[in-house]
Amino acid sequence: MSVHTDQSAAAVTVLGLGPMGRALATAFLDAGLRTAVWNRTPGRDGDLVARGAIAAASAEEAVAAAPLTVVCVVNYDASDAVLRQDAVTAALKGRTVVNLSADTPARARDTAGWAERHGVRYLDGAIMTPTPTIGTDDAVFLYSGPGGLYREHQGVLAALGGSHTHLGEDAGRAAAYDIALLDIFWTSMAGYAHALAVARAEGVTGAELAPFAQGIAAILPPLFTEFAADTDAGTYSGELNPITSAASTMAHVVHASEAHGIDASVMRVIEGQARRVIARGHGTDGFTRVAEVITVR
Ligand code: NDP
């Protein structure tokens, strides 16, 4: 089925029907919004169309169907490949794009510059929670770019559920939060995968370890708040856990892992950072002093 290039055909368009794009389109449909959809590879819209979505034959047709287009593709090479086609750019003139694809702050700012040069109204954004949260109270969305534009589309975006936060006018700000938060997530996941391997080598099953792993995770939220204040103030208090003591426990992880033939390179890097802090005379400081020694410029 094809859409008319009539602005009233849909309230919102979703470009990109991977797992996240499909979740976004589903939430818009569930909220009763007329939703146009398009994906580079055809055939991903069947169930969405069955639920009332308008299947656009091209990206150009899709963006022309609604005043607001939400893009959710793998990265900004992909969103550029879609949005920067001449016909699509022309159809977007005067309309709004919210780019919920993930990439770096620099790419977000570059896209905002492109949008401004072409008369496209642009908000950048980031999704901080997995697909099952979309349309529920647990979803978390971040935005940056013109505040007035955000307020204009806030009502439609609210259909995606959860919390929506506008972080400021700098288009790169949502991606900056995204990068920092992904940093926490992936290094934590790497630590957990490694811990499971070490525990298994010691005859401890994942199920046995998991409740205690939850205990470690529960320690983190208050530490995040405390360390953030330390880092902002540059105080790095190590009164209760000096980095000399922390480095010693890191060495235990390295030795125990390598004794089982398990790659300990991540922990070796962390221990090395802690040792650099100590070598610079900050052995009584807390672990987050590391944030200073890893900054090379
Ligand atoms: P992917 O990151 O795998 O993205 C798949 C989508 O990108 C498909 O629609 C695919 O189209 C499209 N795509 C890839 N390359 C191109 C290209 N060159 N031109 C046009 N379209 C292209 O899956 P998700 O849907 O899960 O993720 C989308 C975005 O959402 C990503 O940036 C991801 O980081 C972010 N995100 C995802 C979460 C999740 O839980 N899945 C959580 C939070 C954020 P095609 O089908 O044609 O290949």
Side-chain angles (χ1 to χ4, degrees):
M1 177 170 121
S2 179
V3 292
H4 302 291
T5 52
D6 172 355
Q7 186 165 317
S8 66
V12 61
T13 287
V14 177
L15 298 181
L17 300 176
M20 186 52 89
R22 294 165 59 79
L24 300 175
T26 301
F28 284 133
L29 289 166
D30 287 349
L33 292 167
R34 286 286 280 162
T35 305
V37 294
W38 177 85
N39 191 61
R40 175 185 62 170
T41 305
R44 301 254 158 91
D45 56 5
D47 54 335
L48 296 169
V49 171
R51 299 178 70 164
I54 303 165
S58 65
E60 170 192 351
E61 202 175 84
V63 304
L68 169 64
T69 289
V70 172
V71 190
C72 192
V73 289
V74 62
N75 55 30
Y76 279 41
D77 283 345
S79 63
D80 282 357
V82 178
L83 300 175
R84 301 195 192 196
Q85 298 172 61
D86 290 346
V88 176
T89 305
L92 280 172
K93 197 170 165 73
R95 300 179 198 269
T96 300
V97 171
V98 178
N99 197 343
L100 295 180
S101 314
D103 214 308
T104 63
R107 294 298 296 264
R109 293 184 190 111
D110 178 73
T111 304
W114 162 85
E116 191 172 359
R117 291 192 298 280
H118 291 87
V120 178
R121 307 168 84 217
Y122 185 77
L123 277 175
D124 206 87
I127 306 170
M128 299 319 312
T129 51
T131 51
T133 66
I134 306 305
T136 77
D137 290 347
D138 295 331
V140 176
F141 296 88
L142 305 177
Y143 303 93
S144 50
L149 191 57
Y150 171 69
R151 285 187 288 281
E152 195 180 310
H153 295 286
Q154 206 173 2
V156 172
L157 295 169
L160 298 173
S163 75
H164 297 256
T165 307
H166 179 251
L167 298 167
E169 303 275 320
D170 166 18
R173 211 161 158 81
Y177 276 65
D178 188 28
I179 292 296
L181 297 171
L182 285 171
D183 196 350
I184 298 168
F185 182 74
W186 285 120
T187 49
S188 303
M189 292 296 278
Y192 192 42
H194 194 269
L196 288 168
V198 175
R200 185 174 54 196
E202 286 289 343
V204 179
T205 66
E208 288 171 318
L209 186 70
F212 296 92
Q214 301 274 1
I216 291 290
I219 294 171
L220 295 178
L223 284 183
F224 282 0
T225 306
E226 186 188 322
F227 287 173
D230 275 357
T231 306
D232 287 348
T235 49
Y236 308 110
S237 164
E239 203 181 337
L240 300 179
N241 191 7
I243 199 162
T244 43
S245 170
S248 169
T249 64
M250 292 168 195
H252 302 156
V253 177
V254 170
H255 296 151
S257 306
E258 292 181 349
H260 288 293
I262 295 169
D263 180 354
S265 51
V266 171
M267 189 58 78
R268 275 191 174 281
V269 168
I270 299 168
E271 186 194 348
Q273 292 168 345
R275 302 259 178 233
R276 275 161 62 199
V277 169
I278 296 164
R280 289 185 189 190
H282 300 297
T284 56
D285 280 2
F287 176 69
T288 47
R289 171 71 76 172
V290 159
E292 281 196 354
V293 301
I294 60 175
T295 302
V296 289
R297 61 178 177 142

